[in-house]
Amino acid sequence: MIKRKTKLLLESKVNELKMNLANNYKDLARDALKDLQQTVEECRESGELKDKDYRKYKQIADEYAMRMMNYHH
């Protein structure tokens, strides 16, 4: 089971990304995506995320990365 603190952290990263995308803040959205990806990896490495939860958040990050692939200036 994912720790509440870890889940809140990851959900806040996802929400930040969604908010930046909704407001069309492309640079901030790219930064938020990088931050989410990094946080997911760090949580996995530290043992805070089990494989099931890691796959869930990795998939979320990967889906946003695909959607944002063509975000350029």
Side-chain angles (χ1 to χ4, degrees):
M1 184 71 186
I2 189 172
K3 292 180 184 174
R4 178 170 160 70
K5 184 175 120 181
T6 304
K7 182 176 176 144
L8 288 174
L9 173 66
L10 291 170
E11 289 298 326
S12 74
K13 303 280 182 191
V14 171
N15 288 335
E16 180 183 355
L17 174 56
K18 287 179 183 177
M19 187 177 66
N20 287 326
L21 285 173
N23 290 318
N24 207 25
Y25 300 146
K26 293 180 181 178
D27 288 338
L28 292 175
R30 273 196 292 270
D31 291 344
L33 176 61
K34 284 181 196 168
D35 191 29
L36 172 62
Q37 291 168 325
Q38 184 177 353
T39 303
V40 167
E41 294 302 326
E42 287 172 357
C43 288
R44 181 182 192 200
E45 289 169 13
S46 70
E48 293 176 57
L49 272 184
K50 303 294 180 225
D51 281 342
K52 177 184 163 201
D53 296 312
Y54 169 75
R55 285 192 303 271
K56 173 187 168 185
Y57 284 100
K58 176 109 171 65
Q59 181 179 359
I60 291 169
D62 289 348
E63 287 172 4
Y64 277 107
M66 290 296 292
R67 282 176 47 188
M68 295 169 59
M69 228 173 9
N70 296 320
Y71 276 25
H72 304 291
H73 284 288

